Amino acid sequence: MVLDILILNGVVITMEGKGLGIIEKGAVGIKDNKIEVVGESREVEKNHTAHRYIDATGKVVMPGLIDAHIHTGIGILKGLSQDVDNWMQKGLWPFTKALTQEAKVKGSMVNIMEGLKAGTTTFCDYDEPMLDIVKNHATLGTRARVAETVNEMPADLSGLKIGDVYPLDPSIGQQKLQKAMKLVDNWHHQQNGRITCLFGPQGPDMASKELLLEIKDLAIKHQTKIHMHVAQGDREINQMIKRFGKRSIQYLDEIGYLDEYLMAVHLTEATKEETRLLAKKGASMILCSGSIGIIDGIVPPAFEFLEVSDKLALGSDQAPGNNCNNMFNEMKFTAILNKCKRQDPTIFPAWKVLKLATIDAAKAIGLDHEVGSLTSGKKADIIIIDFNEPALFPLVNYPVRNVVPNIVYSAKGSEVETVIIDGRIIVDNKTITTVDERQVVKEAHKHAVEICNKAAEGITEDNNMFKMMQEGLL
Amino acid sequence: MVLDILILNGVVITMEGKGLGIIEKGAVGIKDNKIEVVGESREVEKNHTAHRYIDATGKVVMPGLIDAHIHTGIGILKGLSQDVDNWMQKGLWPFTKALTQEAKVKGSMVNIMEGLKAGTTTFCDYDEPMLDIVKNHATLGTRARVAETVNEMPADLSGLKIGDVYPLDPSIGQQKLQKAMKLVDNWHHQQNGRITCLFGPQGPDMASKELLLEIKDLAIKHQTKIHMHVAQGDREINQMIKRFGKRSIQYLDEIGYLDEYLMAVHLTEATKEETRLLAKKGASMILCSGSIGIIDGIVPPAFEFLEVSDKLALGSDQAPGNNCNNMFNEMKFTAILNKCKRQDPTIFPAWKVLKLATIDAAKAIGLDHEVGSLTSGKKADIIIIDFNEPALFPLVNYPVRNVVPNIVYSAKGSEVETVIIDGRIIVDNKTITTVDERQVVKEAHKHAVEICNKAAEGITEDNNMFKMMQEGLL
């Protein structure tokens, strides 16, 4: 058989088997959108020819990274709500209020490009209007598991004071659910299977019990998962107690939400017991170390989750919080923040966080039959990292191998040279092949300026960034 | 006057004045090795011409970053001691024992290149043999404040068990001090003033009181500073209590070491009171967030230090610990680790950590008369960051300016396009101009492999990385 692409002589990290399945001088062969063969270069070369060869000498070949939680629709707001208290209400809302659908879509494109160039091949994109945003994934060629965010909250919450119980309106929930169903009808398993859909209730505090149960039935019917914020901050817990008289995870347990259909995002405020309960019942956890660190100064209870389950994935969350949608950033912060939380340098070792961004993530989002490791039959989602950069020097394999620590603790994402998704080369020599990068950024920029001008009226003295600006500190 | 270089139309962050001194459409003019003019592009253009123009439209122009504590001599050991307990003894020592002088020097070169490409222009390099390592700074064109590490410890400590008091040998101290003095004689204020020397006792636990006092006299005589590890871990504190019957900072206070001559590195184990005492007495603190986070899982008491003094600088420490010698990494980790330590997202805001890597660092290391900000008369140490990358999108200035959060929380260092040191372009279009990068990395690589082969005999079952390797996890 003539392969389409044959990558030779790289350090191949397959993420297969009990360990990481590293092949020192390895090869990966691709036919159509799938991996055909993985093995020693010497052996693979003997039995295969290809239309295109990639020499990966001095480079690392590994599965594409999975960003299990990202809101690309607010990517255009990067850097506009940092170092503030009440991040969402005081920092973000004046800007989100000003967002147009077009700005969301244009900003989303740049946001996905950022992740893609840093080796992210699968995005669990959770936003609205997903019917429009999903087209960016189709255009760019990225793999995506998309969810339309569904809640029962009115668009304008400007009259709301911090601590007030949100008004919920079932008619709004139904309108949004209609869009979510249309998304599933139009996009589930489309683009050669690259695009699949999830259901996306925004949080237990933002929808009625009835709506959540309706969504659960739909998830079962379509055999897909529910992507949802859970215990994402004291704001949510306060809302839950005021509205339902109980904390989020107890409530979700009682309504039958804690099972393998649930991908629970954040768990910032979950206690150890709540975290273990959620893990034991089969739900996945999505850990957003960078974003929760910067927004809340909190390290979520991932260690407790891992004591019970390995269905843990990492997410970059969003640009105006994290300011960075890059899974290398998430791997490094996850390792170091957890070491600091426990004052133990041996926990969250490099090999473990690498799994959290690849094979474990694939399990957590229900896509491990297709991606997350390099083995014959899986979809060809592969990245190649150039190790000739001074920052990644040296690369040795005896008496210990340092490739994995150097990926997690040294690489920044900018060393990713090639990104292959579904068998297609989407990033070649660090340049996106499917769109004109500079043009996309330039166009989106006009929208960013427009949004900021509109948002100006909502920015007042109680916004920390505004204060810093007046003091000449920004 | 005809300038040598005129940078136009950039967002210029001068770091001058009470705030950050940002000029939206700014210009910086360079003549010889100094900044001649800083101002609005429109104005500067009217009155100046130049031999070379750099158009910085869509880019940021700011002072070069200062790495206030780095051991470049162990750069060749990157990734070889990660996720281990007893980092130094079990992880590092088998490798440092195998290090040759040549390997140190070759590895140092790659290590400096990593920092340089990520915008570091001043390195407080603290290692041995500095008489050889310093030549790398001369060759590359970097600014350096170098110290030969001085201690009284025998080279071979392999017989030592964890917890044993180190043997100290005054004759070894004198040999090393001779080298330090030779370094000062040969290199202090050399290379057009780019290279200056500090004195570098390795820590209060590794030298006698007599040697420390001798060094203090020398620092006064040469009007330079003392760069020293202080309270760098429980190992040091245990040694101090066993040998001197008191903790490091109390001891240093009693021997007259706590004053403006001291740059105290780490303070990992310093109490709040000890930290405040040190700050109050005029000593600087060097904070190595990335390295201490990964090695010890600790966030040092920088917040307490800042309550008393602004002489706080950041350091990347070393490659086998931090695994990353990049001041963008240090800025981001400093902000987020401290937010998490205090569970307060408003502390260590982006503008503050940017100061810690520029003007505050210059004060802390005693070089603020020359570098750390952009103003007429200072040395021309300048970096230009390309903001057209998707990861740095968007760049807006109303109603709030997001350039500073985007530098600290989004930039990875790989966006640094131009580095000017002492008026000379050392990195041009992301490529080092003074050496052949690939060739340097390739040569150093041979030494890395050699060192690792030699170190193999010292690596045993009690090394976590060795265990992980056997389990297929590395």
Side-chain angles (χ1 to χ4, degrees):
Chain A
M1 179 198 288
V2 182
L3 298 165
D4 291 319
I5 301 172
L6 179 52
I7 306 165
L8 291 166
N9 305 320
V11 177
V12 177
I13 306 180
T14 65
M15 305 307 290
E16 277 285 314
K18 272 184 86 176
L20 302 193
I22 297 176
I23 306 170
E24 270 300 329
K25 215 176 164 67
V28 182
I30 299 166
K31 179 73 184 170
D32 299 326
N33 69 334
K34 287 189 177 160
I35 295 170
E36 177 67 28
V37 58
V38 179
E40 300 279 348
S41 267
R42 228 178 12 201
E43 296 301 317
V44 174
E45 252 186 313
K46 263 188 221 160
N47 308 313
H48 297 83
T49 58
H51 295 301
R52 178 167 174 173
Y53 291 88
I54 298 176
D55 179 20
T57 304
K59 297 175 187 179
V60 168
V61 183
M62 58 172 278
L65 302 172
I66 296 171
D67 190 335
H69 180 68
I70 182 169
H71 307 269
T72 69
I74 49 174
I76 203 160
L77 303 180
K78 181 181 285 165
L80 292 167
S81 184
Q82 295 304 337
D83 306 319
V84 299
D85 52 0
N86 272 295
W87 173 77
M88 189 175 277
Q89 285 105 319
K90 287 196 212 164
L92 201 59
W93 278 358
F95 290 98
T96 50
K97 209 180 137 192
L99 274 180
T100 61
Q101 301 299 73
E102 202 184 349
K104 283 186 180 182
V105 174
K106 300 270 186 193
S108 151
M109 184 66 119
V110 184
N111 207 202
I112 301 165
M113 283 160 55
E114 174 186 355
L116 172 60
K117 290 186 80 174
T120 306
T121 52
T122 298
F123 296 80
C124 290
D125 203 342
Y126 175 80
D127 217 315
E128 55 87 30
M130 192 48 72
L131 273 162
D132 296 317
I133 290 172
V134 68
K135 293 175 191 162
N136 289 334
H137 292 288
T139 304
L140 277 166
T142 39
R143 190 174 303 282
R145 237 156 135 57
V146 296
E148 171 84 18
T149 319
V150 174
N151 61 46
E152 292 177 332
M153 291 167 75
D156 186 1
L157 292 167
S158 53
L160 219 62
K161 287 192 299 294
I162 289 168
D164 285 355
V165 177
Y166 316 140
L168 295 186
D169 178 345
S171 73
I172 292 171
Q174 285 306 315
Q175 278 169 34
K176 294 189 176 181
L177 188 59
Q178 290 303 317
K179 288 188 197 166
M181 291 194 292
K182 194 170 168 195
L183 184 74
V184 173
D185 288 343
N186 292 2
W187 288 93
H188 203 32
H189 300 300
Q190 291 303 301
Q191 298 278 316
N192 208 23
R194 240 177 51 233
I195 312 284
T196 50
C197 298
L198 302 169
F199 284 94
Q202 198 169 343
D205 57 324
M206 296 185 185
S208 60
K209 178 180 162 187
E210 293 67 32
L211 182 60
L212 286 189
L213 292 178
E214 199 176 347
I215 288 173
K216 177 71 181 265
D217 287 342
L218 286 165
I220 294 171
K221 179 182 158 201
H222 291 282
Q223 279 301 297
T224 189
K225 286 185 183 275
I226 296 169
H227 187 170
M228 182 165 72
H229 296 130
V230 175
Q232 74 164 318
D234 50 3
R235 185 179 44 76
E236 176 188 315
I237 302 293
N238 290 338
Q239 292 283 326
M240 291 301 294
I241 287 170
K242 283 180 183 163
R243 191 187 306 278
F244 299 108
K246 50 196 76 165
R247 292 167 59 87
S248 303
I249 291 174
Q250 185 195 343
Y251 171 81
L252 289 171
D253 190 24
E254 285 174 17
I255 70 167
Y257 242 64
L258 296 192
D259 59 22
E260 65 281 6
Y261 286 95
L262 181 64
M263 290 163 50
V265 184
H266 293 321
L267 303 188
T268 320
E269 292 291 320
T271 63
K272 286 180 193 178
E273 292 67 33
E274 289 173 335
T275 305
R276 290 200 187 105
L277 174 70
L278 186 136
K280 216 155 66 180
K281 295 241 172 174
S284 311
M285 173 176 176
I286 317 289
L287 174 62
C288 301
S289 297
S291 123
I292 297 304
I294 203 169
I295 295 173
D296 296 315
I298 291 176
V299 184
F303 192 81
E304 289 75 13
F305 186 90
L306 284 176
E307 286 170 353
V308 182
S309 166
D310 65 352
K311 283 161 68 179
L312 179 66
L314 308 179
S316 74
D317 205 357
Q318 25 65 23
N322 196 345
N323 239 52
C324 184
N325 298 96
N326 178 321
M327 298 313 293
F328 287 88
N329 183 72
E330 293 313 310
M331 289 193 285
K332 186 162 183 180
F333 268 97
T334 295
I336 297 186
L337 286 176
N338 280 287
K339 290 177 197 301
C340 288
K341 187 178 183 180
R342 297 254 168 175
Q343 208 177 320
D344 180 354
T346 66
I347 64 164
F348 283 80
W351 65 266
K352 182 62 192 171
V353 290
L354 195 64
K355 289 186 85 164
L356 299 183
T358 55
I359 186 64
D360 288 2
K363 284 180 202 160
I365 68 167
L367 221 57
D368 51 316
H369 57 294
E370 293 197 333
V371 299
S373 64
L374 304 182
T375 187
S376 173
K378 278 204 179 181
K379 300 290 175 71
D381 287 12
I382 300 164
I383 62 174
I384 304 178
I385 307 171
D386 182 12
F387 258 66
N388 294 300
E389 275 291 322
L392 298 184
F393 160 88
L395 183 57
V396 296
N397 55 28
Y398 175 81
V400 293
R401 207 182 256 125
N402 68 348
V403 61
V404 175
N406 283 4
I407 289 171
V408 171
Y409 299 124
S410 305
K412 302 175 288 290
S414 53
E415 305 86 352
V416 172
E417 201 174 66
T418 307
V419 178
I420 299 171
I421 302 175
D422 215 40
R424 187 173 167 212
I425 297 176
I426 306 294
V427 175
D428 196 10
N429 197 20
K430 303 193 181 183
T431 305
I432 296 174
T433 60
T434 43
V435 297
D436 177 339
E437 277 182 50
R438 293 260 157 163
Q439 192 55 35
V440 169
V441 172
K442 208 173 148 187
E443 268 182 42
H445 217 278
K446 286 183 218 153
H447 290 272
V449 172
E450 203 181 290
I451 296 305
C452 286
N453 286 338
K454 258 175 67 185
E457 60 188 66
I459 301 289
T460 54
E461 287 289 342
D462 70 348
N463 176 297
N464 299 27
M465 284 187 73
F466 185 76
K467 271 187 282 181
M468 290 186 242
M469 182 95 174
Q470 291 190 308
E471 290 163 19
L473 296 169
L474 281 187
Chain B
M1 179 199 287
V2 182
L3 298 166
D4 291 317
I5 301 172
L6 179 52
I7 306 164
L8 291 166
N9 304 319
V11 176
V12 177
I13 306 179
T14 65
M15 304 307 289
E16 278 285 312
K18 271 183 87 177
L20 302 192
I22 297 177
I23 307 170
E24 270 300 327
K25 216 176 163 64
V28 182
I30 299 166
K31 179 72 184 171
D32 299 324
N33 69 334
K34 287 191 178 160
I35 296 170
E36 176 68 27
V37 59
V38 179
E40 301 279 348
S41 267
R42 224 176 16 197
E43 296 301 315
V44 174
E45 252 185 314
K46 263 188 222 161
N47 307 314
H48 296 84
T49 58
H51 296 301
R52 176 166 176 176
Y53 291 89
I54 297 177
D55 180 18
T57 303
K59 298 174 187 177
V60 168
V61 182
M62 57 172 280
L65 302 172
I66 295 170
D67 190 335
H69 180 69
I70 182 169
H71 306 269
T72 68
I74 49 175
I76 202 159
L77 303 180
K78 182 181 286 166
L80 292 167
S81 183
Q82 294 305 336
D83 306 319
V84 299
D85 53 359
N86 272 297
W87 173 77
M88 189 175 277
Q89 284 106 319
K90 289 197 212 163
L92 200 59
W93 278 357
F95 291 99
T96 50
K97 208 179 138 193
L99 274 180
T100 61
Q101 301 297 74
E102 202 183 351
K104 284 186 181 183
V105 174
K106 299 270 186 193
S108 152
M109 183 66 116
V110 184
N111 206 203
I112 301 165
M113 283 160 55
E114 174 187 356
L116 172 60
K117 290 186 81 175
T120 305
T121 53
T122 298
F123 296 79
C124 291
D125 203 342
Y126 176 81
D127 217 316
E128 55 87 29
M130 193 48 71
L131 272 162
D132 296 317
I133 290 173
V134 67
K135 293 174 191 162
N136 289 335
H137 292 288
T139 304
L140 278 165
T142 40
R143 189 174 303 281
R145 235 154 137 59
V146 296
E148 171 85 18
T149 320
V150 174
N151 61 44
E152 292 175 333
M153 290 167 75
D156 186 1
L157 293 167
S158 53
L160 218 62
K161 286 193 299 296
I162 290 169
D164 286 356
V165 176
Y166 315 141
L168 294 187
D169 178 343
S171 72
I172 293 171
Q174 285 307 315
Q175 277 168 31
K176 294 188 177 181
L177 189 58
Q178 290 304 317
K179 287 187 198 167
M181 290 194 290
K182 193 170 169 197
L183 183 73
V184 174
D185 288 343
N186 293 2
W187 288 93
H188 202 32
H189 301 299
Q190 291 303 301
Q191 298 279 316
N192 209 23
R194 241 177 51 233
I195 312 285
T196 49
C197 299
L198 302 169
F199 284 93
Q202 198 170 343
D205 57 323
M206 296 185 185
S208 61
K209 177 179 161 187
E210 292 68 31
L211 181 60
L212 286 189
L213 293 179
E214 197 176 350
I215 289 172
K216 177 71 180 265
D217 287 342
L218 285 166
I220 295 171
K221 177 181 160 202
H222 291 280
Q223 278 302 295
T224 189
K225 286 184 183 278
I226 296 169
H227 187 170
M228 181 165 73
H229 296 131
V230 175
Q232 72 164 318
D234 50 2
R235 183 178 46 75
E236 177 188 315
I237 303 294
N238 290 338
Q239 292 283 326
M240 292 301 293
I241 288 171
K242 283 180 182 161
R243 191 186 308 276
F244 300 107
K246 50 196 78 166
R247 293 168 57 86
S248 303
I249 291 175
Q250 185 196 343
Y251 170 81
L252 290 171
D253 190 25
E254 286 175 16
I255 69 166
Y257 243 63
L258 296 191
D259 59 22
E260 67 281 6
Y261 285 95
L262 180 65
M263 291 163 48
V265 184
H266 294 321
L267 304 188
T268 320
E269 293 290 322
T271 63
K272 287 179 193 178
E273 293 66 34
E274 288 173 336
T275 305
R276 290 200 188 105
L277 174 69
L278 186 136
K280 217 156 65 181
K281 294 240 172 176
S284 310
M285 171 177 176
I286 317 288
L287 174 62
C288 302
S289 297
S291 124
I292 296 304
I294 203 169
I295 295 173
D296 296 315
I298 291 177
V299 183
F303 192 82
E304 290 75 13
F305 186 89
L306 284 177
E307 286 171 353
V308 182
S309 165
D310 66 351
K311 284 162 68 180
L312 178 65
L314 307 180
S316 73
D317 206 356
Q318 26 65 21
N322 196 346
N323 239 53
C324 183
N325 297 96
N326 177 323
M327 298 314 291
F328 288 87
N329 182 73
E330 293 312 311
M331 288 193 285
K332 186 163 184 179
F333 268 97
T334 296
I336 296 187
L337 286 176
N338 280 287
K339 289 177 197 302
C340 288
K341 186 177 182 180
R342 297 253 168 174
Q343 208 178 321
D344 179 354
T346 65
I347 64 165
F348 284 81
W351 66 265
K352 183 62 192 174
V353 291
L354 195 65
K355 288 186 84 165
L356 298 183
T358 54
I359 186 64
D360 288 2
K363 283 179 202 161
I365 67 167
L367 220 58
D368 51 315
H369 57 295
E370 291 196 337
V371 299
S373 65
L374 305 182
T375 187
S376 172
K378 278 203 178 181
K379 300 290 175 73
D381 286 10
I382 300 163
I383 62 175
I384 304 177
I385 308 171
D386 182 10
F387 258 65
N388 294 301
E389 275 291 321
L392 298 184
F393 161 87
L395 183 57
V396 295
N397 55 30
Y398 175 80
V400 295
R401 206 182 256 123
N402 69 348
V403 61
V404 176
N406 284 3
I407 289 171
V408 172
Y409 300 124
S410 306
K412 302 175 286 292
S414 53
E415 306 86 350
V416 172
E417 200 174 67
T418 307
V419 179
I420 299 171
I421 302 176
D422 215 42
R424 186 174 169 210
I425 296 176
I426 306 294
V427 176
D428 196 9
N429 197 21
K430 302 194 181 183
T431 305
I432 297 174
T433 60
T434 42
V435 297
D436 178 339
E437 279 182 47
R438 293 261 157 163
Q439 191 55 35
V440 169
V441 172
K442 208 173 146 186
E443 268 182 40
H445 216 279
K446 286 183 219 156
H447 290 272
V449 172
E450 202 181 291
I451 297 306
C452 286
N453 286 339
K454 257 175 69 184
E457 62 189 63
I459 301 290
T460 55
E461 287 289 342
D462 71 347
N463 176 298
N464 299 26
M465 284 188 72
F466 185 74
K467 271 188 280 180
M468 291 186 244
M469 182 96 173
Q470 290 189 309
E471 290 163 20
L473 295 169
L474 281 188

